[in-house]
Amino acid sequence: MKILITGTSGRLGGALKRCYEPRHEIIAPSHAELDLARPDDLEVILNGLQFDLLIHCAGMVHPDACERDPLAAMQVNAESPAQLAAFCHQRGVQMIHISTDYVFDSDEASPLDEAALTQPINAYGRSKLAGEQAVLAASSNALVARVSWLFGGHLPSFPEQMIKTALSGHEVAAIADKWSVPTSVDDVADWLEQLMIQCPTASGILHVCNSGQATWHEYAETTLQLAHELGLICNVPMVKRQALDGFAGFLAKRARYTVMSNERLAGWIGRVPRTWQEALKESLAKAC
Ligand SMILES: NC(=O)c1ccc[n+]([C@@H]2O[C@H](COP(=O)([O-])OP(=O)(O)OC[C@H]3O[C@@H](n4cnc5c(N)ncnc54)[C@H](OP(=O)(O)O)[C@@H]3O)[C@@H](O)[C@H]2O)c1
């Protein structure tokens, strides 16, 4: 397959590229070559490329940056994906559009399925939800894959930050009343490839995450415990509990409960995704 992947300098796009390269032909335009801040230029650029599938990972992904410039967020996360989807639809090419659990902010305490009420509470979530809607309106064949709390790949993420803080001897602290599903980029790559092969016409919305759920505090504790078992740190520090309300470190509001159910994914790939703890252990072991 010839797969066009956007955002390959980033965590997820980079992981997909590395995973698929041995078996597929990958086209990976850089940010400068395919700039989502210039939606009107996209069609001309895409016209010069030959591909069977587009996996669209690039975007404005930092909630605080989106909060500072919501118009740019809408352009990059909604207007440009709509252009990409319209192009794919016209060409008869499949598109997988990567979205986020930040389209939610639920009062529920049970995992949210694909039909659950969306309720973004910051500019990032609103722009990503607008992107999902615009992509599906432009192409009924597109698949919107919502992912959450990604770890792994070539860039440091939450687990590496926790380990680095522990190694520095500074206090480790994490928010204990905000829930989602940590998810391995390598697992996302596997599941999406399986979908391409087994369900090439899969469309609509799909929650793509590992099994289980966690607060950032539980995620930090598990990371440090596993890092200790793997010999990455000498002892396991206590993780101080922080509260989301009144947390001074964020400009954009953060959703409290965005745990997604992966039942549809399990049905489509024919197995229950492994837990985030199993995937995290494997990811940390690679760093040893
Ligand atoms: N990371 C998470 O925990 C998480 C959670 C939920 C959903 N997601 C979604 O997953 C997808 C991938 O996220 P990620 O973690 O891989 O993000 P990332 O590591 O920050 O990578 C973002 C990518 O987008 C590119 N990009 C940014 N602005 C662009 C523009 N105007 N034009 C073209 N390319 C641009 C970046 O290129 P440069 O670096 O070269 O600027 C980079 O390759 C996103 O759709 C995000 O919303 C991520």
Side-chain angles (χ1 to χ4, degrees), residues 198-231:
Q198 287 173 214
C199 319
T201 55
S203 61
I205 298 176
L206 183 65
H207 290 174
V208 175
C209 55
N210 282 109
S211 294
Q213 64 175 50
T215 63
W216 267 331
H217 185 268
E218 290 162 345
Y219 190 11
E221 283 194 328
T222 302
T223 297
L224 295 176
Q225 188 59 48
L226 290 172
H228 182 249
E229 285 168 24
L230 292 163

Side-chain angles (χ1 to χ4, degrees), residues 202-262:
S203 61
I205 298 176
L206 183 65
H207 290 174
V208 175
C209 55
N210 282 109
S211 294
Q213 64 175 50
T215 63
W216 267 331
H217 185 268
E218 290 162 345
Y219 190 11
E221 283 194 328
T222 302
T223 297
L224 295 176
Q225 188 59 48
L226 290 172
H228 182 249
E229 285 168 24
L230 292 163
L232 296 171
I233 53 176
C234 296
N235 38 48
V236 182
M238 202 198 79
V239 181
K240 184 180 165 192
R241 303 173 77 85
Q242 293 174 307
L244 186 58
D245 280 346
F247 185 78
F250 300 139
L251 173 67
K253 272 204 220 165
R254 296 308 204 261
R256 191 173 293 279
Y257 185 91
T258 60
V259 174
M260 298 190 294
S261 158
N262 59 15

Side-chain angles (χ1 to χ4, degrees), residues 6-14 29-38 42 56-62 72 76-77 80 97-102 124 128 145-151 154-155 157 183 185 260:
T6 64
T8 52
S9 64
R11 177 184 320 288
L12 180 60
S30 67
H31 181 152
E33 288 165 340
L34 193 129
D35 188 351
L36 301 166
R38 292 160 58 185
L42 296 176
H56 180 47
C57 302
M60 216 168 139
V61 304
H62 297 293
V76 168
N77 290 340
S80 284
H97 173 70
I98 304 297
S99 191
T100 174
D101 59 322
Y102 265 37
Y124 170 63
K128 292 294 286 188
R146 291 179 181 147
V147 299
S148 61
W149 286 10
L150 296 175
F151 64 81
H154 68 298
L155 298 174
S157 55
T183 293
V185 288
M260 298 190 294

Side-chain angles (χ1 to χ4, degrees), residues 19 58 60 62 65-66 70-71 85 94 116 122 146 181 226 239 246 268 285:
C19 176
M60 216 168 139
H62 297 293
C66 293
L71 291 179
Q94 171 71 343
N122 57 33
R146 291 179 181 147
V181 190
L226 290 172
V239 181
W268 282 3

